[in-house]
């Protein structure tokens, strides 16, 4: 499921970086936005301004990205 999140994020124009093997980060395409998603185990951690906010299931991460893809 996390592969699906990464594939869809790339298709929507988000920046996906592999920090270490199986350790991924999704960044917004606009550098002015200060959030990121980091993969921890099977969940995505939403980080805003370098402060962890909430842990998301993969389907919730997809919903989050879908709402932000046109900004």
């Amino acid at each position: 499921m996390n592969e699906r999140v990464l594939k869809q994020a790339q298709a929507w124009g988000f920046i996906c970086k592999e920090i270490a093997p199986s350790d991924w980060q999704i960044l917004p395409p606009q550098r002015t936005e200060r959030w990121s998603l980091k993969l921890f185990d099977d969940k995505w951690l939403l980080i805003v301004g370098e402060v962890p906010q909430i842990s998301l299931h993969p389907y919730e991460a997809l919903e989050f990205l879908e709402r932000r893809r046109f900004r």
Side-chain angles (χ1 to χ4, degrees):
M1 182 68 173
N2 288 317
E3 288 179 21
R4 181 174 169 225
V5 173
L6 290 166
K7 196 173 195 178
Q8 188 62 63
Q10 289 176 329
W12 283 336
F14 294 97
I15 300 163
C16 299
K17 293 182 178 180
E18 188 173 20
I19 300 166
S22 300
D23 188 10
W24 287 90
Q25 181 177 27
I26 300 174
L27 302 165
Q30 300 85 6
R31 301 263 184 218
T32 57
E33 294 188 40
R34 296 180 36 148
W35 63 266
S36 67
L37 290 174
K38 287 189 178 179
L39 181 60
F40 286 101
D41 296 321
D42 289 335
K43 294 190 178 178
W44 291 89
L45 181 62
L46 173 62
I47 301 170
V48 179
E50 299 188 31
V51 178
Q53 300 291 318
I54 189 168
S55 181
L56 303 171
H57 290 280
Y59 71 90
E60 294 172 312
L62 280 172
E63 290 175 6
F64 174 84
L65 292 169
E66 185 173 17
R67 282 186 237 128
R68 277 146 191 82
R69 70 181 174 149
F70 295 117
R71 291 182 184 212

